[in-house]
Amino acid sequence: MKLTFTLLFIFQGFIGLCQSNDSSAYASMTGKWILLSKVKIETSDGQPLNQEKEVYKPEEKSFEFTEKGEVIIAQDFGKHSEKLPVSLKGNYLYIGKFQKNKTPYLVRYEGEQMKLAKTETKNKKGKTIVKTEQVIMQKMPQ
């Protein structure tokens, strides 16, 4: 019985550790970030199928990462917003509710800019489709 409780306690601690954000890395992410651009590229066999590039006006779209492990995404200069949970595991950022096969963003910093990138691969009608997305944000001064 004592062994069962010990194992249960260790297991719960492990689950909590796995679900928590990397606090030191997440601390540098907290605050408001202005979206500068987003590029989506879809390829098959190395050939481009579709490319979308969006360049945003200052403060048109922003991401605010809170200390509570949430992100508030504001669009249309703050007219519309949504709040989503976020989780940071090393350099991998998960935005939104947890899903088993969800692809995280890889986070990279360059000065006052944060770059998020993710790549997803799917098979469609016998072809391998690779979707790549890159988001570039600028930290707002506090």
Side-chain angles (χ1 to χ4, degrees):
M1 187 72 161
K2 191 175 187 180
L3 178 63
T4 304
F5 282 120
T6 303
L7 290 175
L8 182 62
F9 179 74
I10 291 170
F11 182 68
Q12 286 178 333
F14 179 72
I15 289 173
L17 182 63
C18 289
Q19 291 178 344
S20 65
N21 285 327
D22 182 345
S23 59
S24 61
Y26 188 76
S28 62
M29 184 179 287
T30 56
K32 192 170 184 178
W33 296 81
I34 301 301
L35 198 64
L36 301 176
S37 67
K38 179 164 57 171
V39 177
K40 292 181 182 182
I41 300 172
E42 196 173 289
T43 60
S44 178
D45 297 325
Q47 299 299 313
L49 299 175
N50 189 23
Q51 181 173 341
E52 297 175 27
K53 182 173 183 177
E54 295 180 63
V55 178
Y56 297 92
K57 294 176 184 171
E59 299 190 46
E60 180 179 356
K61 188 170 184 177
S62 65
F63 283 50
E64 184 174 354
F65 294 92
T66 70
E67 293 177 2
K68 296 179 183 179
E70 299 171 328
V71 62
I72 301 166
I73 302 172
Q75 300 183 57
D76 296 328
F77 303 97
K79 292 179 185 174
H80 306 284
S81 67
E82 66 178 317
K83 189 185 296 187
L84 298 169
V86 293
S87 178
L88 185 66
K89 309 278 191 246
N91 287 340
Y92 294 98
L93 177 67
Y94 295 85
I95 297 177
K97 292 182 182 179
F98 176 78
Q99 295 174 354
K100 186 177 179 182
N101 296 321
K102 189 172 203 160
T103 303
Y105 286 97
L106 177 62
V107 179
R108 191 175 78 215
Y109 295 96
E110 289 183 11
E112 291 295 308
Q113 289 188 348
M114 176 170 50
K115 295 183 178 185
L116 306 178
K118 72 176 174 179
T119 301
E120 297 177 310
T121 304
K122 295 183 181 182
N123 289 315
K124 195 176 197 180
K125 298 182 183 178
K127 291 186 177 184
T128 301
I129 308 292
V130 179
K131 294 180 181 181
T132 306
E133 179 179 334
Q134 181 174 331
V135 178
I136 301 175
M137 297 184 226
Q138 178 79 34
K139 180 89 173 199
M140 289 255 325
Q142 295 181 357

